[in-house]
Amino acid sequence: NAGVTQTPKFQVLKTGQSMTLQCAQDMNHNSMYWYRQDPGMGLRLIYYSASEGTTDKGEVPNGYNVSRLNKREFSLRLESAAPSQTSVYFCASRAGSAYNEQFFGPGTRLTVL
Amino acid sequence: GENVEQHPSTLSVQEGDSAVIKCTYSDSASNYFPWYKQELGKRPQLIIDIRSNVGEKKDQRIAVTLNKTAKHFSLHITETQPEDSAVYFCAASSGSGGSNYKLTFGKGTLLTVNP
């Protein structure tokens, strides 16, 4: 089992460029999440998908869109990148109940110039 | 929505001492409280968790306590070792049922264990 995988590992964008961060899990989990991590701010939820076919906004959704392509894959899109979106992005997945462990991907370090 | 406060933001201890990190939460419906450890440049990984129907849970040198009435929970690490140095995050899980659960994280505690 690869667990949760993310691509790319690193990315540098110019302001206004667009890109999609990819995430996949092979644990047959229902729920998937996108977080951003900034120094001193912890992990903030951007969007989540409780189950295939549904997506919901988290704490900081502005400037992002998501697609739950199928049960395995959940992508995060930046349509017009801004320097404020410079961050480390983590994807995570969790089986669909209240007490299950949430597993994180290795992260994508994004810099927007 | 849920709000999780975590203290302290940094903690420095001598090897062999104990470390305690405290969190409070706002949503009385939250029922699951995990703790994650994140080493530098790595992903967060679960180290221990507790459900709302339990007051304390131990796993070797780490323990978590929960006070539902006061809405706070704590991580205790005994006999600290240099490899315990990392950022620790507390979290609380809330949601409306089924798969619709999400974790709200505290801002993290940087623990440094000095040899």
Side-chain angles (χ1 to χ4, degrees):
Chain A
N1 277 355
V4 182
T5 57
Q6 291 181 237
T7 56
K9 285 186 166 44
F10 302 94
Q11 184 70 47
V12 178
L13 293 177
K14 294 181 180 177
T15 297
Q17 287 185 316
S18 62
M19 79 160 296
T20 301
L21 281 63
Q22 306 286 355
C23 174
Q25 52 91 10
D26 62 2
M27 296 175 282
N28 201 36
H29 287 169
N30 289 329
S31 303
M32 297 185 73
Y33 308 85
W34 277 105
Y35 294 89
R36 61 178 288 173
Q37 184 175 34
D38 304 294
M41 299 297 291
L43 292 150
R44 293 185 292 169
L45 184 64
I46 305 171
Y47 270 94
Y48 68 106
S49 171
S51 59
E52 187 179 356
T54 69
T55 60
D56 284 288
K57 295 179 181 179
E59 183 185 353
V60 288
N62 291 346
Y64 305 95
N65 284 302
V66 290
S67 295
R68 184 74 182 266
L69 303 169
N70 46 55
K71 192 170 186 179
R72 289 187 64 249
E73 298 171 289
F74 188 39
S75 63
L76 178 72
R77 182 158 179 85
L78 288 70
E79 289 292 350
S80 179
S84 60
Q85 294 178 304
T86 293
S87 189
V88 179
Y89 291 85
F90 286 100
C91 178
S93 72
R94 188 178 184 195
S97 88
Y99 307 120
N100 286 348
E101 179 178 352
Q102 184 164 297
F103 293 86
F104 285 85
T108 294
R109 185 173 294 275
L110 176 66
T111 301
V112 183
L113 302 175
Chain B
E2 175 66 276
N3 182 50
V4 177
E5 300 279 345
Q6 182 171 348
H7 299 279
S9 56
T10 62
L11 180 59
S12 181
V13 299
Q14 289 300 122
E15 183 176 357
D17 286 351
S18 294
V20 181
I21 303 169
K22 299 183 179 181
C23 290
T24 60
Y25 62 99
S26 61
D27 186 353
S28 56
S30 289
N31 53 13
Y32 173 67
F33 307 93
W35 287 87
Y36 283 80
K37 176 183 180 183
Q38 186 180 28
E39 296 175 350
L40 188 63
K42 301 287 182 65
R43 72 190 82 187
Q45 292 194 293
L46 180 74
I47 55 171
I48 194 167
D49 56 16
I50 191 167
R51 302 184 183 190
S52 58
N53 59 349
V54 174
E56 183 175 358
K57 183 177 179 181
K58 280 189 78 170
D59 183 3
Q60 299 183 339
R61 295 187 297 108
I62 59 174
V64 57
T65 58
L66 171 65
N67 183 326
K68 281 187 63 179
T69 304
K71 289 191 277 188
H72 68 70
F73 56 113
S74 300
L75 178 72
H76 305 253
I77 306 174
T78 59
E79 300 171 20
T80 54
Q81 300 167 2
E83 51 265 39
D84 294 329
S85 296
V87 178
Y88 291 81
F89 293 98
C90 63
S93 180
S94 58
S96 58
S99 296
N100 193 22
Y101 291 99
K102 55 185 187 290
L103 293 178
T104 301
F105 285 85
K107 292 185 177 177
T109 297
L110 174 61
L111 173 64
T112 303
V113 180
N114 302 298

